[in-house]
Each structure stands twice: as C-alpha cells, then as structure tokens.
Amino acid sequence: MSTINRRDLLKAGAGAALLSALDAAFLGDAIAQEQPKRGGTLSYAQLSANRRSAGPNNSRHPYFIVDANTKQIWSTPTWVNPELGLELEIATKLEPADGSLKVWDMTLREGVMFHDMTEMTAADAVASFNYHRQNAPFARQITKVEQIGKYAVRFTLEAGNAEFGYVLAEYNSPIMKAAPLETIGLDGIGTGAFKIVQSDPNRLMILERFESYWRKGLPHLDRIEIHNREGQQESALNGLRSGQFDAVMNIDGRAALQFQNDPNFEIETARGGYSFVIQLPKHPGSPFLDKRVRQAFAYAIDREAIVRVAYSGRFGWIGNDSHLMVTDAAFVPRAGGRDVAKAKQLLAEAGHPNGINLGTLYWSPQLPEAGRYFQVLQQSVKDAGITLTIEERPNDGYIQFRTGDNDLSKGNFHKFAMTAVGSRNPGISLFRMRAAFVESGHWRGPEHDKYLALYNQAMVTPDAAKRKAIYAEMQAILHEEVPAILPAGGNTLMVKRKHMRNMPYHPQIWSIRYEEIWRA
Amino acid sequence: MTLFFRRLVRRPLTLFGLVLVGLHLLVALVAPWITPYDPLKLLDAPLEPPTEAYWLGTDELGRDFFSRLLLGGQISIIAAACAGLIAAIGGGLLGLASAYHRGLFDDVVSRLVEMKLSIPSILLVSLFVTGFGQSLAVLVLTMGLIYMMGVIRTSRAMGLVILEQGYVKAAQLRGESSFAIILREMLPNILDLLTVEFALRTSSALLLVSALSFLGLGVSPPTPDWGLMIQSGLQSIRSEPWLVLAPSLCISSLVIGINFATEGVAGLLGLEAARGATGK
Amino acid sequence: MLIAALRRVLLSCITLVMLTVFIFIATEIMPGDALDVSLSADEIAMIPPERLAKMKQDLGLDRPAPERLLSFLGGVLTLDFGKTLISKTPVTAIIGYPLRNSLILAGAVLLLAIPLALTIGIAAAVWQGRAIDNIASTGAIIGYSIPEFVIGTVLVMIFAVAWPVFPATITASTNDAALTLLAASPLAVVTVLIGSIAYLARLLRTGMVDALAKDFVERLRLTGIPEWRIVFLHALPAAIVPSLTAMALYAAALVSGIVVVELVFAYPGLGQELVRGVTRREVHVVQAIALCSAALVVALNFLADMAILALDPRTRRA
C-alpha cells in the first residue's frame, strides 16, 4: 500500500461531501470573493469545555487548555477537514513501512519555527509523542517512536491501523518543544499561528499572531481573545449582543433559533458534531454487570424527547449506542426504537420486577444543552421503573473525577457518568468501546473480544467498503451488548457577527482553521 | 384585641404584608390539589408561549410552568419555616438560660454567638454542605443554627430585663428548679418577641434558600423551586422573560410580605423590630 | 485607651482561632472526612476497604483528629491551606486573585454605600414621619427583601438587554488591574449596593432618631446652636456608635451578597471559586474561603470597635 490516499479515506465518509456543498451555499458568493484583510482581534466566548484542571503552573500546557483551542497554538502532523477527510499538515509524508500497517514513517515539514524561533525537528516530535503515548488515550497504541532522520520519525504500533493518520490529527497530538517528560509542554510554545500571551485558567486566554508561522501570509488576525463561559450561555450571548464578543462557540439549538433572523449575526453549523456517552461501570456490585439492565436502560430512554428538548428538534439526531455520528457513512441505527414494555420485562427478568435504582449519574455542562439533555433522560426512564439521581459537576477537573484515576487493579473505579463525544473517523470512534478505555465501562467478555477482533481486522483492511461492512457488524454487537449508552447527539452551532469572515464551523471544533479567519 | 386590629387597619402596609403572606400560604397549602398538570411531566414542546392549555407556557423541558410556579415555594417555605422555628425556640431557650445562669455558661454562649455571626451565612451553609453532603435536612439544621445566634442575643437581653422583675425571685424562693423557672416564668414573657423573631428569621432563611438554589447548592432539580427556576430561566431571559419574572415576583412578594407584616406587628406589640440584628 | 485597644486585638485573635477550629471541625471531623465527601455513597460502598484505607493514608486522613487540627492550624498561620484533592494545586494559588477581586468589589460597595446610606438615614431621621422618611423606610424593607440575584437579573434586563448601556457579563480577567475590573462591573456593584444601602440607611435612621430624642440634644437646641450643627456634630457621632456595633452582621451580609452577585455577573471572585469548590467537594478550598471571609468580617468588626473607642469616651474604660 502506498502513501495514504485522502480519497480512499473520504469514501468512508462519502455522505459528508454533501455537507461542504451546503456550507458553500451558506457562505454565498459575495463573501467568498472578498479579499482577506490583515489585522484585528477575534474575541469569542466558548461554552464547551473538555479539559483537565489547570493551575498556575500548567495553564499553558496543551492538555490543560480547552481542547477546542489547542491547534491555534500547536500544529499536529495531520489535519481533519470538515468532511472528516484526512490531510497532511505539519507532516509532508505519512506512510506505512509495510503491509502490516503497524509501522508508520512520517516526514516533517522543514523550516517550521517554534514561537521561540527555534526550528522544529524530528527530536521535538519524538519527545512529544513519547509524552502523548503515555497520556493520551488514542496515542496509547504507539509502542515506540524513534527519530530516523533530521525530519523523519518512525512510529511502531501495537497492531496494524489503516486509519492511524487520524490519531496524529487529534488535539492531544500537538508537537511541543522537546523537553523531559515532566516538563514538556509547560512552556506553552508551539508552532501554531498564534502564541500565548496570557492564560488565566477557567476564564481567559489571549493569543497573538506568530509572525513566522509556517503557512506563509497567515494568520490574518493579530490577536485572539478566548473567554470561557462554560455553563453560562446566556451570559455569553449577552456579551455577543453588547459587542464584547465577535462569536460564541457551541451554542445550543435554542440560541441558534433566536439569532437566525437577526441581520447582524450569522449562524454557522456543522452536522454531526457531538453526542454524549454514558459510561456504565461494570465493577463488582454494579447493576450494569447484568446485560439485561443495560438493555432495559437503552430501551427506556426517550431519545426523541431528548432531540426535541435538548436540540430543538431539528439540530439533533438519535444515537445508536456507538461512538459514531449520524453523519458517518458507517452509522447503523438501532433497531426497534423506544420500548418501555420491553425495558420493564428485561428488568423483571433481571430480578427487578418493581423497578431499579441506578444511583447517581454525574454530568458536567460541557455543552449548553447538557443540563436539559440529562433531565429529560432522567424523567423518561422513570416510565420503565428506572430511577436515577443526576448530579452536576464542574467541567474543571471533570475528567479526573469521571475516570477516577481509573485503574481497576488498584481499586480505582470510574463513575456512572457522561462525557461529550466528538466527530471522528470510524477507526477512532469504534476503538473507544475497547475494554481498556473507560468510556466502555471496561466492557469485557467474549462479545467484547469478538468486537475487538473485528476492529483489528478492519484496521488492516485497506478496502473502505469491506471496512464498512465490518463496522456494521461491530455496531450490531454494541446494540445487543450495550456496553455504554449514547442516546442522542446534535450538530455543532456557532453564532458570529457578520464582520468575522471565512469562519465556517467544523464538526470537530478543535479542527477549525483560525489562521484563515479575518475581520472585515 | 379589638384595639390591636383597629390599629392594624390603620397601617396599610402591614395589612398588605399580612394579605401577601396569607395568599402565599394558601397557595402553598392547596397547590398539590389545584395544579393543572404534574410538575415533573414532560408534556409538550419546550418553551411554548402561554396558551389556554398552559397558562404560563412550558418551561425549558416542556413542563407546565404554571404548575411548577404554584409548587415552587413549597419546599423553600417549609425549609425556611422549620429553620425559623428551630432558631426561635432554640435561641429563645438558650438566650434565657444564658441570662438566668450568667457566669461561665453565659460567657461560652456569648462567645459562640459572636463567632458564628462572623461567618457569612452562605459560607456556613457551604461548609456544612461540603462536610455533610447536599440535603434539605442539612440545609434546615444549618440555617436553624445560624439564625439561632441572633435570637440568643435578643432573648438574652430580654431575659436580663425579666430577671429584674419580682416573680422570678418569688419562684426562686418557692424553690422551683431553674429549668421550670425558665420554661414557666420567663418563656411566656418573651413569646411576642419569639414570634417576631420567627417571622424575621423565616424571611432571612427564605432568601438564603432561594440564593442557594440559584447557586445550585440548595433544592435539586427536578423539584420545582423558585430559585432554581430563576436560574434556568436566565438562559432564555430575552425570548421568555416571564420564566424569570414570575418566580422572581413570587419570592420577592413573599419576603416583602413577611417583612412588612412583621415590621408592623412588631411595632404594634411595642417591640423594636429587630431587623438591625438580622441581616440577610 | 491603649489597653482597651490591645484587649480588642486579643479578642479578635481568639475569635479567629476559634473560627479556624470550628471550620476544621465542621468539615473534617464530624461524620466523615475529606475523602468520604469527595466520593459518593455508592462509590464508598464499592471500593474495597483496604483500598479506602490506603487512600486515607495518602491524604493523611488516618492520623488522629487533634494531630490533623494542629497541622491545619499551623498551615493557616503560614497561609498554607493545603492542596486540592483533584489537581493537587496549592489552594493559595487558586484563591489568591479571586480573594483580591472580591475585596475590590467589597471596597467599592462600601465606599459608595456609606455616604449614600448616611445621607438617606440622616434625612429620614431629621424629617421623621414625613414623606421622605416613609419612602426611605418602605424602600429599605423592599430593598433587603428582594434577593440579590433577582435585583441583578432585573438590572441586566433593563440596562443590558432593553437599553444596552452596560455590559451584561464581566469579561475582565482574574488578574486585571483593580480599575479595569471595576470599570467592567458597574451593574454588579449597583446590585450589591442596593441591599447595602437599604440595610445601612435603616440602621442609621434608627440611631439618628434615638440620638435626636436624647436629652443632650434638647439642651443643645435650647442654647440656640443651629440645627444642622446639632445634627452633624452632636447627634451623628452618637448615632454612628450603635450602628457600628452591628458592623459584623453587615459585613457578613455583604460577603454573602457578593458571593451570589459574582455568579450572576461572572465576576472573577471568591464566589465563583466557592461554588466550584463545593460542587467538586474540594474541602480545602471551601475551608480557605470560609476562613478568609470570616477573617474579613472579624477585621471589619475590629475596625468598628476601634472607631467606637475613638468616638465614645465611655467605652475606653472597659
């Protein structure tokens, strides 16, 4: 197999192509023909937050700033375009060394400068990925990373992976300046279009244009101010109206409806943006050890009501208990829909004829609709005799809270909790249901092994259509086993002032190209 | 008594306050029977404007807002009244005991009072919620404790005045126990004061409960509660302002009612309205 | 005079130590400990006992309570409130700037509230029973009967939504200069101010009414001293003294108000950190914030005591 071919990968997500056409229609001709202007500030509020708890000493580390902003400061080897196709970014070449798809060689772009004006080399990439492979879930499959030339790097994976290029586009795959594992990334220095001027954890980050950015002539903007307004959509929208902000990212459907007819603002959208996964713990004593309880839970949830209430109907879609988005060509809907009677019957079979109390489901306001989403869920499962308490936790530190230093061997259990799931290629998305990953609730057993075997088979299957068939088989296992629940999802929505140009939205909010945005 | 009522009628604000409180109590009492819908049920599309079916429209989850509004005071009123009762009875007894015994007991109580008054109530509740978990019982007990401190102060002062009167001396000479003296001779004399204190502390507790619910530390969803409703209503303040205004009006009118009524009644009873010693 | 002042310094210190002990007891000794409260009951039931013991040991929770209290007191003395349970960040680093910002807000409110409350309180007392008094008294009751978050919300509706003259939300950064912060937060200041004025004006009015009815004022009137001199030079100092004794209560109410208002306007102060701390069960953060606010109240109370000493000669003998 030769160099990874973008078109091959695109076939997997053919439906997505339609979306870019829609985007073009939204943008219109007038704006498309305008010449970009240089200078000015983009000040935006973000309502989403997915990050670890930052303190004064790590507030510039890429893992501790909100994921949606990472790529403004750091570059990643590859980039995922709005159609979820893979493109090369700071790498000029990425290819498997042999047919096993286990060893991948990457060549980095030459002459790329860090913000401190030192040149980026393979040594930086090696140091960075040695950090990532120990700290980022998707990069754990890298067993070895070594320098094989001044700009050449070799990755060795634990198993073949045809979609490995996507891992290198993750927000947790930035190239940082080489440093020992304990200190790498803390300096906040990257090769991105903007450099950090100020980072105030929980509130504000200020970025300024990096003059020697490797994409010549970019960025257009001089400055970006990112205001954190997680859980405070109304406050952020007030700021937008009063001119404090130029845009608010990740608004909910209700806000989009409010702004859609206002001539001063534009709504940007990308379909299939986010959904939520509910991890079901399967440690000793957990009710979720019983498959029937998990199935009953899946049948009891009124997913249509969630779409109606949390996503104002038209901005949402019903999930299928896998990490795939509805926009994915490989997505297979769950058969049967909601079935309260069946849920009750399953519960009775499992020994809970009078209903069951599932304890506390934790949630955090990672997106503005989360609160309503889980209240509807809580109310709807009552019909089947399932009671659960829902409790809100702050975003800051939520990852640690939810995963609980997740190490079963030490007796550290993760929680019955939700988290947001972003749009990704099937290879990454379906890999999230592996036993080793907390979001599957450490699902084990023969069905899991079969699932993983199918996954491994898919990963070394170069033919996209064959892969898709395997993905369908994997989803069928999920529908029966319900290791985790992904009830519904929604499109990503952004509202911006008209003077911000060339700022289309992206289903992966961390893959927006901020360097191409300009201010009229 | 007739004189009392005749004077009451001449104070329109007091009367107004009493009517407000009466109305609120009535609604809270009969709400479970008069709500048109189940306040927890997801009935219709969210954020419907007021219609004939839903008098105040639906809330952000599609529940009947009017039903929720009617029930939204129940929990806070019960919690606040319980806290007020604990404060008035506990504070009254402790204050009198402190005045009667003087000495070490008095010193310890006074120091405790002073100390507790130094921690802002919202922080005290936060401390206890962090320590004991977020539950209504913790909330009520903490608030009772907080407001007890102020009551101890006023009832102790009153107790000192009562001690000067002959009948306490007489009871002592009869050889009655100190407990009996406090309960039978002194307490009846400060019932007026304690009633006023109860009302004042209840109004403060109401403000505190609603503020805590607003902050997400008080009543938990999906229970209907004014503080919570205001918080979630803020998300659509521009398009559906009534979702914020209606519960705001409810909570404010209730507290204003209590305060007008207490102020007037305290004046009529010849008690210095102890507002200076309450704070929020 | 000096002895009386020293006595009050000592008393304030004792109160502070007792407060520290109390805060420790309230959060760490009573039913469980820092670990129990950071985990839910479901989880504790599921974690094996030996693992729980190990976790307690790691957090130093296996030591006897008096020993932990001593180390807590020692930590407080050196302004070390420990580290957060989740991120292991020093608590001082988390609450440093927010504490300063809340103090800025409190200072601004006090600066505006005192003169305004004085004016209203004096006017209401001088024209007692007249229209101005009735309006002021009724207004005061309404003012402190409406929750701060309702006042804040209504102000946002009027001055940021319907008639957008002020920012609805505060975008200033945690470590911005004091003036930048204040310039960004006029509505937040006004919201706290309304409650403060209502409370203080009422207090002052009562004090003034009492003072103006005193014998010495009557005697001064007879000597023909102009009324304004009597009001400002003689009655006012006598009226301020009882108001000052209620200072601790006012300060506590002020802090409570600020906590709520900070959340309405996203002001980067202690209120935000408090709610974050409580919801994350970060015991040490909540302890530190409670202690800081209590210390603030004690300090204000101490200042009030000193002012009383200066104003009222009779207290100097105590």
Side-chain angles (χ1 to χ4, degrees):
Chain A
M1 192 178 145
S2 62
T3 308
I4 198 152
N5 184 332
R6 196 188 141 202
R7 194 155 296 169
D8 272 351
L9 290 170
L10 257 180
K11 269 186 223 157
L18 187 77
L19 299 172
S20 64
L22 269 173
D23 277 349
F26 263 122
L27 280 173
D29 294 335
I31 292 171
Q33 281 160 12
E34 264 184 313
Q35 276 305 308
K37 267 200 210 128
R38 222 205 102 165
T41 299
L42 162 66
S43 171
Y44 68 85
Q46 63 187 13
L47 304 174
S48 75
N50 178 21
R51 64 195 155 85
R52 288 154 176 82
S53 183
N57 52 7
N58 59 10
S59 68
R60 292 173 177 228
H61 189 286
Y63 280 33
F64 293 86
I65 69 172
V66 173
D67 57 17
N69 309 317
T70 318
K71 293 200 183 183
Q72 299 171 39
I73 304 147
W74 291 272
S75 311
T76 47
T78 52
W79 180 64
V80 172
N81 61 31
E83 295 80 38
L84 297 190
L86 190 69
E87 293 183 15
L88 291 171
E89 176 83 353
I90 212 162
T92 52
K93 203 176 80 178
L94 177 69
E95 56 187 28
D98 54 46
S100 75
L101 304 179
K102 255 178 97 163
V103 179
W104 288 75
D105 289 336
M106 170 174 85
T107 309
L108 291 170
R109 201 173 286 277
E110 290 178 30
V112 173
M113 302 309 264
F114 277 110
H115 297 155
D116 66 353
M117 296 309 284
T118 54
E119 198 199 357
M120 179 194 71
T121 65
D124 298 303
V126 169
S128 298
F129 278 94
N130 265 323
Y131 180 84
H132 299 323
R133 70 189 186 84
Q134 292 176 43
N135 293 286
F138 304 125
R140 288 226 169 111
Q141 57 186 288
I142 304 172
T143 52
K144 197 163 68 175
V145 51
E146 55 203 319
Q147 182 169 359
I148 50 170
K150 190 175 181 204
Y151 301 103
V153 179
R154 167 167 290 180
F155 295 98
T156 310
L157 315 181
E158 56 185 15
N161 184 350
E163 298 184 8
F164 175 65
Y166 280 98
V167 171
L168 301 180
E170 278 297 310
Y171 52 79
N172 274 351
S173 294
I175 295 188
M176 309 175 276
K177 243 182 100 70
L181 274 181
E182 303 78 53
T183 54
I184 192 167
L186 291 176
D187 53 12
I189 290 177
T191 56
F194 298 91
K195 52 187 180 191
I196 301 178
V197 180
Q198 191 191 331
S199 182
D200 180 357
N202 296 325
R203 274 193 81 77
L204 175 70
M205 190 152 79
I206 296 176
L207 310 176
E208 265 172 19
R209 178 193 163 77
F210 174 46
E211 294 294 341
S212 308
Y213 179 50
W214 60 273
R215 289 182 75 191
K216 297 288 165 255
L218 293 172
H220 297 307
L221 292 166
D222 280 342
R223 189 177 159 94
I224 295 185
E225 287 180 15
I226 307 158
H227 296 268
N228 180 29
R229 284 288 181 278
E230 60 196 71
Q232 298 173 306
Q233 175 168 267
E234 192 49 33
S235 149
L237 295 176
N238 279 335
L240 178 75
R241 286 191 188 90
S242 65
Q244 281 175 312
F245 303 134
D246 301 304
V248 179
M249 314 304 244
N250 278 75
I251 55 170
D252 64 11
R254 209 160 76 185
L257 293 177
Q258 272 181 44
F259 278 93
Q260 64 178 359
N261 297 322
D262 192 320
N264 296 314
F265 301 99
E266 281 167 334
I267 302 287
E268 295 287 346
T269 179
R271 205 163 135 65
Y274 270 109
S275 69
F276 293 112
V277 60
I278 303 170
Q279 51 192 41
L280 311 175
K282 292 172 201 67
H283 43 61
S286 165
F288 297 114
L289 276 177
D290 192 326
K291 183 170 95 178
R292 290 164 299 192
V293 173
R294 306 199 298 263
Q295 287 170 332
F297 193 27
Y299 278 119
I301 297 170
D302 189 345
R303 299 169 195 238
E304 275 170 27
I306 294 178
V307 169
R308 187 173 69 234
V309 172
Y311 296 106
S312 305
R314 68 166 111 163
F315 302 112
W317 43 269
I318 289 173
N320 74 346
D321 298 336
S322 82
H323 285 75
L324 292 181
M325 300 290 141
V326 70
T327 43
D328 203 302
F331 182 93
V332 182
R334 255 185 83 91
R338 187 182 191 221
D339 193 336
V340 176
K342 189 153 183 186
K344 279 184 174 160
Q345 185 202 330
L346 281 162
L347 282 179
E349 282 169 21
H352 308 284
N354 302 317
I356 186 172
N357 188 338
L358 294 179
T360 307
L361 167 63
Y362 295 96
W363 65 279
S364 80
Q366 291 169 24
L367 291 160
E369 66 270 16
R372 279 169 290 145
Y373 190 112
F374 288 95
Q375 285 194 59
V376 173
L377 186 140
Q378 178 195 28
Q379 184 65 29
S380 72
V381 296
K382 264 191 203 166
D383 297 343
I386 298 175
T387 40
L388 50 93
T389 328
I390 54 173
E391 196 172 314
E392 181 179 353
R393 289 289 164 134
N395 290 328
D396 188 5
Y398 184 70
I399 296 180
Q400 290 100 319
F401 172 78
R402 166 173 68 86
T403 58
D405 286 335
N406 192 37
D407 185 344
L408 222 57
S409 60
K410 289 186 193 156
N412 283 353
F413 299 133
H414 64 285
K415 301 204 169 44
F416 177 31
M418 62 65 96
T419 193
V421 173
S423 272
R424 287 180 173 91
N425 58 303
I428 284 188
S429 291
L430 293 174
F431 192 46
R432 293 174 85 155
M433 212 60 100
R434 66 192 183 277
F437 195 45
V438 59
E439 286 172 12
S440 74
H442 300 301
W443 170 42
R444 279 153 214 275
E447 291 302 305
H448 166 266
D449 297 344
K450 192 173 151 205
Y451 178 87
L452 209 64
L454 284 169
Y455 171 79
N456 287 330
Q457 187 195 337
M459 287 301 99
V460 291
T461 305
D463 182 75
K466 280 190 190 142
R467 275 213 303 271
K468 192 179 156 189
I470 301 175
Y471 292 150
E473 215 178 317
M474 291 170 76
Q475 288 169 72
I477 296 179
L478 295 182
H479 295 169
E480 169 65 21
E481 278 281 308
V482 203
I485 292 193
L486 290 97
N491 309 339
T492 47
L493 293 159
M494 167 203 352
V495 55
K496 67 176 184 73
R497 293 193 160 267
K498 282 242 165 85
H499 61 233
M500 295 317 304
R501 299 289 161 82
N502 198 24
M503 192 174 173
Y505 220 19
H506 196 296
Q508 298 187 337
I509 57 162
W510 58 91
S511 295
I512 296 172
R513 285 214 174 272
Y514 282 90
E515 68 267 39
E516 293 176 2
I517 297 169
W518 55 280
R519 193 180 169 113
Chain B
M1 215 53 192
T2 43
L3 182 72
F4 181 87
F5 281 108
R6 218 177 304 145
R7 289 223 302 250
L8 193 63
V9 177
R10 263 185 285 149
R11 292 184 169 222
L13 280 180
T14 311
L15 211 58
F16 174 66
L18 284 172
V19 169
L20 269 182
V21 175
L23 263 174
H24 269 290
L25 288 181
L26 188 74
V27 168
L29 219 60
V30 301
W33 291 277
I34 58 167
T35 45
Y37 300 95
D38 178 351
L40 300 183
K41 195 126 185 89
L42 311 174
L43 298 158
D44 213 314
L47 299 178
E48 289 282 305
T51 57
E52 235 168 84
Y54 311 112
W55 290 1
L56 284 176
T58 55
D59 75 352
E60 80 279 5
L61 292 185
R63 299 172 294 202
D64 180 44
F65 192 66
F66 182 63
S67 301
R68 292 180 66 76
L69 198 66
L70 288 179
L71 288 162
Q74 255 185 352
I75 302 254
S76 340
I77 292 176
I78 292 172
C82 286
L85 211 61
I86 293 174
I89 295 175
L93 287 176
L94 272 175
L96 289 180
S98 178
Y100 185 81
H101 288 295
R102 310 296 287 269
L104 188 65
F105 182 73
D106 188 22
D107 278 349
V108 170
V109 170
S110 301
R111 201 61 32 229
L112 271 175
V113 168
E114 197 169 296
M115 195 184 81
K116 274 283 180 56
L117 291 177
S118 304
I119 309 183
S121 42
I122 217 158
L123 281 156
L124 211 53
V125 177
S126 304
L127 267 180
F128 280 105
V129 166
T130 317
F132 294 76
Q134 187 176 338
S135 80
L136 221 52
V138 171
L139 202 63
V140 168
L141 284 175
T142 315
M143 290 194 305
L145 220 63
I146 293 171
Y147 295 121
M148 196 185 284
M149 299 302 145
V151 183
I152 291 178
R153 248 191 195 182
T154 46
S155 60
R156 179 181 171 277
M158 200 76 155
L160 288 177
V161 176
I162 295 171
L163 276 178
E164 306 285 304
Q165 328 261 305
Y167 51 83
V168 176
K169 277 263 154 26
Q172 277 171 335
L173 287 175
R174 284 200 303 275
E176 286 182 29
S177 72
S178 53
F179 184 70
I181 295 176
I182 291 172
L183 215 60
R184 255 184 274 146
E185 307 295 332
M186 296 172 78
L187 193 63
N189 284 293
I190 62 163
L191 280 182
D192 281 359
L193 174 86
L194 290 186
T195 314
V196 170
E197 285 288 354
F198 164 73
L200 284 177
R201 308 301 162 180
T202 302
S203 82
S204 300
L206 264 172
L207 289 174
L208 188 55
V209 177
S210 64
L212 285 166
S213 299
F214 178 80
L215 297 182
L217 306 178
V219 180
S220 329
T223 313
D225 178 83
W226 292 331
L228 269 176
M229 288 159 91
I230 294 171
Q231 188 214 33
S232 51
L234 278 178
Q235 297 305 320
S236 55
I237 191 172
R238 210 169 293 263
S239 41
E240 290 86 20
W242 61 86
L243 293 185
V244 174
L245 282 176
S248 296
L249 206 66
C250 288
I251 175 79
S252 305
S253 65
L254 175 56
V255 182
I256 288 175
I258 298 180
N259 283 334
F260 273 145
T262 321
E263 168 100 351
V265 171
L268 290 178
L269 291 172
L271 288 166
E272 171 90 10
R275 177 51 73 181
T278 341
K280 277 201 173 171
Chain C
M1 172 82 187
L2 189 68
I3 292 171
L6 278 175
R7 193 182 117 89
R8 280 175 177 72
V9 172
L10 195 68
L11 272 177
S12 300
C13 289
I14 293 173
T15 312
L16 269 180
V17 172
M18 285 175 65
L19 278 169
T20 315
V21 175
F22 171 77
I23 287 170
F24 178 81
I25 291 174
T27 42
E28 289 209 9
I29 292 183
M30 291 294 207
D33 51 43
L35 192 64
D36 293 347
V37 297
S38 67
L39 297 169
S40 71
D42 315 347
E43 286 154 3
I44 289 178
M46 286 174 196
I47 295 178
E50 61 275 11
R51 172 71 197 141
L52 206 61
K54 173 81 175 61
M55 287 162 92
K56 284 190 185 196
Q57 201 187 339
D58 290 348
L59 291 166
L61 294 172
D62 55 338
R63 293 179 297 155
E67 197 184 318
R68 277 186 292 136
L69 172 61
L70 277 184
S71 71
F72 179 67
L73 278 171
V76 170
L77 269 184
T78 52
L79 290 182
D80 171 14
F81 298 102
K83 289 182 174 170
T84 56
L85 296 173
I86 295 180
S87 65
K88 309 277 182 270
T89 314
V91 171
T92 15
I94 293 182
I95 64 165
Y97 273 112
L99 172 64
R100 183 205 67 156
N101 298 342
S102 290
L103 286 175
I104 292 172
L105 188 57
V109 169
L110 277 176
L111 268 182
L112 292 169
I114 290 173
L116 283 168
L118 274 174
T119 317
I120 297 173
I122 292 172
V126 169
W127 289 287
Q128 195 192 340
R130 307 261 280 279
I132 186 164
D133 183 25
N134 290 335
I135 293 171
S137 301
T138 313
I141 294 184
I142 296 175
Y144 59 61
S145 295
I146 304 179
E148 283 97 353
F149 59 92
V150 171
I151 298 179
T153 306
V154 171
L155 286 179
V156 168
M157 269 182 173
I158 301 173
F159 295 108
V161 177
W163 182 38
V165 281
F166 290 120
T169 167
I170 295 164
T171 49
S173 163
T174 309
N175 51 4
D176 269 346
L179 281 177
T180 320
L181 266 177
L182 283 178
S185 5
L187 289 182
V189 173
V190 171
T191 307
V192 191
L193 196 58
I194 288 177
S196 277
I197 291 177
Y199 184 87
L200 288 177
R202 191 179 162 83
L203 215 59
L204 277 163
R205 177 196 170 273
T206 316
M208 269 313 263
V209 169
D210 285 351
L212 285 173
K214 288 240 165 76
D215 292 345
F216 80 94
V217 171
E218 214 42 54
R219 284 201 296 278
L220 287 172
R221 285 208 178 106
L222 289 175
T223 59
I225 294 175
E227 185 69 19
W228 67 267
R229 285 197 64 138
I230 295 176
V231 169
F232 285 100
L233 297 181
H234 300 281
L236 187 58
I240 286 179
V241 171
S243 315
L244 282 172
T245 54
M247 195 65 198
L249 282 162
Y250 167 67
L254 179 67
V255 173
S256 287
I258 283 177
V259 165
V260 177
V261 168
E262 281 182 0
L263 271 115
V264 176
F265 293 96
Y267 184 89
L270 279 186
Q272 304 260 6
E273 292 303 332
L274 176 75
V275 173
R276 214 174 271 146
V278 176
T279 47
R280 269 194 293 160
R281 305 291 187 270
E282 281 292 2
V283 178
H284 300 313
V285 175
V286 181
Q287 283 173 339
I289 292 175
L291 207 56
C292 288
S293 334
L296 178 72
V297 175
V298 172
L300 279 173
N301 208 19
F302 171 72
L303 286 179
D305 277 350
M306 297 315 279
I308 294 173
L309 270 183
L311 283 172
D312 188 351
R314 283 169 302 165
T315 54
R316 285 177 208 164
R317 286 194 301 272

